[in-house]
Amino acid sequence: MRLYEWEAKALLAERGVTVPDGSLVTSAEGARQAAATLGGDVVVKAQVLRGGRLKAGLIRFASDPSSAGREAASLLDDRGGAEAITSVLVERKLELESERFLGVLYDLRRRSPVFVWSAAGGIDVEQDTGSDDVVSLHFDADRPVPAHELRKSLVQAGVTGAALRGVAQVAQAITDLLLLEDATLVEVNPLAQLADGRWIALDAHVELDSDALARHPELVSRFGLDARGDGDRVPTDAEQTAKAIDGLDHRGVAGRLIEFDGDIALVMGGGGASLTVFDAIRDAGGSPANYCEVGGNPSVAKVAAFTTLLLGELGARRLAVIMNVVSNTRADLIARGVVQGCVDAGRDPRTTIAVFRVPGAWEHESRELLADYGIEALGREIGIDEASQAAVTTR
Amino acid sequence: MSVLVDSSTRLLVQGITGREAANFTRECLDYGTWLVAGVTPGKGGAEVYGVPVFDTVAQAVRKTNINASLISVPPLLVLDAVLEALASDLELIVIITERVPRRDVAILLAAAETAGCRVIGPNSLGLITPAVCKVGSIGGPARDVGRAYTPGRVGVASRSGGMTTELASMLSARGIGQSTCISVGGDPLLGTTLLDAYRLFDADPETDVVVTFSEPGGDQEIELAEELEAMGVRTPVVGVVAGRFVDEMPGTRFGHAGTMVQAGGLSTEEKVRRLQTAGVHVVRRLSDLPGEVARRLDTATEAA
C-alpha cells in the first residue's frame, strides 16, 4: 500500500532524516501563504500515489507566493489524470551539491530484505541498472540492522569522510522503517547533499505491507489507510462498491473488481483462473467489462450483490461465469448467487447468463438449479478457454 | 514415485480445530493421508475426526511419529507456529494461511533454511501425490480429488491453487497421471519456488515431464529460465503463463530499487520469451496443454 510523499516524509523525519521545510495545503490560497512563510523559491508538488511526477508535469517551481498559488490552483484543477489531486506539498527549493539514491525492499530470490545504495540518483535511476556504483546489503529480518554493517557496506561503495555518518543515518532510518513499521519498500530518491554538507531526503516512496496493518493501528488511523486501495491506482466508484460488498460477511471472496469498458461481465475465480479467463475472452475477440476474483466459499448474498453491480452500474450486456475445477467453492451457491443477481438487476437469467462453467464441488446441484431457468451448465470436459470462446460467440 | 509427500508422510495439523482446518482434516483422512495429530493451544485432549489434539507440537512429537506439519492458523500467528514446528525438527512445513506479513515470512524462511526444513507456501492450497497422500484442501473432498488427480509421471507446480486442480483434471481426462502436484503458493515470497519444485521433480526418476503455471509479478519464471539455460533442460517443462492482459494495465509499476535488485516488473510476454529461450514449451491456449504434455512424454519414453 503506497503512501503519499508527505506521509513518507513524515515517517522519515520522525526517524531523524532531514526533509525540506514545507507544508501540505489543499487550496491555492494555502499554497500562497505557505510560499510566503517559506520565502524565496519554492517547489509545488502534487500529492498523488504514483511516480514519474516531474515528467508528468505534476511538480512545479515558483519564485514568489502568487505564482506558487497559481501553480497550486492549476494542479488542484487538474482532471487529466486518473487520480484527482486534492493536496499539494509546498517546499523550499534547495541548492544541491549532488544526488544519490537509496532504498530497502525484499529480494524475493534471496528471500531476504536488502539495502541498496546508488551513487547516481535522480529521475533516470531506473535506467542505471547494472551500474558499478550500485551496492547492496542483505540483512536479517528479525532484528534492526547493526549500524556498523550499514557503514561497512557504504564504505565499500566509496562513501567516506563527512558523508559516511550522514548517509548511514538515513540508511538506518529506512531499514528500521522497513522492519519496525512493516514496510515492503522504502526509497529515498534523490537523497541530496546541501551546500552546507547536510543530507536531505528530497522525495520518498514508502509502501506498507497491507497484510501487516493490524499491527499498526496508529498508522491506519493517522493516514486513514482503511479507505485506500492497494497499488498506485485509485479505485473507481464501482470498485469501492465491490469492496463494500465483499465486506458484507467473512465467507469467501467476491471482489478484487477492476473495471474495464467491455460488454461481457465476468464472475470468475480464483486468481489463476481469473487471469486465464480474462486472457481467453480477449483471445476470442471479446471485451470484458471487468476483472474480479471469486474464491473460497462466498455467500449467495455476496455473489448476488456482486452480479447486480456488474449488470447494473457497469451496464454489462451478458454474464459469463467461469471457474477452474473447484474444491471448496460450492458451485450451487455460485449458481444461486448469479441467478439472484440477474433477477435483482431486472434481467432475465436465461438471456443474460451466456456461460456457466463451474465444475467440481456441488456441480450436480448447480446443474439442476440452472436447468430450471433454461440454462445449461458446462462441465469440466469443456475447457476454460472453450467456455470463454462460447461466452464471446453466444448471442 | 513422488516428491515431498508419500506413504511415509505422517502429518500434523497446527490449528486443527479451526473450521477450515477441520474440513480438510476430514478430506485428508478420507483420502488415506496418514494424519496422526493436531495442535491447538488450549484444546489439548480434544479430538477432530478421531485425530488427537495436543496443546504443543512438542507433546504431539512425544506421543506420535509425525514428520511433517500443515499450518492453518491466523496470519499473525504463523511465524510462531513455524518456529514451534522447527524446534521439533520436522522435515516439511506446508503453510496454508494467506496474508502473512512479508517480514514474518522472511524471518520464518531464514529460520527454516537454518534448520534444514522444506517450506511450501505461504498461501498454498497444499500438495498431493495422487492415490497416496493429500496434504491440505487441494482437490477438495476425497471423491472429487479422485475425479481430478490420477497417479502417473507428470509433476505439476502451480502458483495458483485452484488451477492446480484444473491442470490435473485436464491431464487426467487425457489419461495422463501425475507424480506429485504442488500448489507452491500465491505470495511473492515463498519457501519453494517453481525452480525449487523443478529441481525436486528433476531428481525424481519417476517424473518424466514437469508442468508449471505462472502468474504476473515476481521473479520465479526468470529464476527458472536462468537455471535451465545454465544447466540445460533435463526433465522437459511445459509452461502455462496466465495474465497477458496485465501487460496493458497502467499503475502496476515496481519501484526503482525493485528494478535494480530483482528485475521486477517484467511483462508477461517477456517472461514467456525468457522461458521459451530457456527451452520451456509454453502453451498459448490452456486447452493445448494435454497435447503438448503427451508429446513430451512420448519423447521422454523414446529416449529412455
Side-chain angles (χ1 to χ4, degrees), chain A residues 2 50-52 101 103 105-109 111-114 116 118 122-123 125-126 128-129 134 136 138 141-143 178-180 182 184-185 187 189 205 209-212 214-215 231-233 251 256 258 260 271-276 278-279 282-283 291 323-328 357 359-363 380 383-386 389, chain B residues 19-20 27 75-76 98-107 109-110 113 125 137-141 143-144 147-148 160-163 165-166 169-170 187-193 196 213-216 218-219 222-223 226 240-246 248-262 284-288:
Chain A
R2 185 170 182 148
R50 59 195 145 108
F101 166 93
L105 76 160
Y106 284 89
D107 179 346
L108 301 180
R109 201 179 285 201
R111 300 170 168 108
S112 158
V114 61
V116 183
S118 168
I123 58 172
V125 68
E126 68 246 74
D128 282 0
T129 51
V134 177
S136 57
H138 290 82
D142 63 350
R143 64 189 167 105
L178 187 89
L179 296 177
L180 303 179
D182 279 300
T184 54
L185 174 85
E187 283 181 4
N189 181 34
H205 175 181
D209 185 350
S210 43
D211 294 338
R215 289 206 280 235
D232 294 359
R233 236 174 117 264
R251 295 183 51 195
R256 304 214 176 123
I258 301 172
F260 287 79
S274 294
L275 296 164
T276 305
F278 202 101
D279 279 344
R282 301 219 320 178
D283 287 347
Y291 177 82
M323 297 191 184
N324 55 243
V325 176
V326 292
S327 306
N328 60 342
R357 190 255 188 206
W362 300 74
E363 175 182 349
R380 71 181 68 196
I384 285 180
D385 43 12
E386 293 158 321
Q389 174 89 46
Chain B
R19 196 169 55 96
E20 263 190 61
E27 294 173 7
L76 299 186
E98 47 184 309
R99 310 210 66 173
V100 183
R102 182 82 51 93
R103 183 188 180 200
D104 293 8
V105 179
I107 294 171
L109 291 181
E113 195 179 347
L125 220 50
S137 63
I138 188 164
R143 62 168 194 286
D144 292 333
R147 288 194 65 193
S160 159
M163 286 303 286
T165 301
E166 179 77 25
S169 173
M170 293 172 69
D187 283 9
L189 201 55
L190 294 172
T192 299
T193 59
D196 298 322
F213 183 89
S214 295
E215 297 182 356
D219 175 44
I222 307 306
E223 188 189 37
E226 283 176 8
V240 181
V241 183
R244 273 173 279 123
F245 75 94
V246 175
E248 296 158 37
M249 285 186 51
T252 46
R253 203 179 58 87
F254 278 72
H256 299 138
T259 321
M260 285 199 275
V261 177
Q262 58 195 21
R284 202 72 182 176
R285 281 170 53 92
L286 185 63
S287 43
D288 294 337

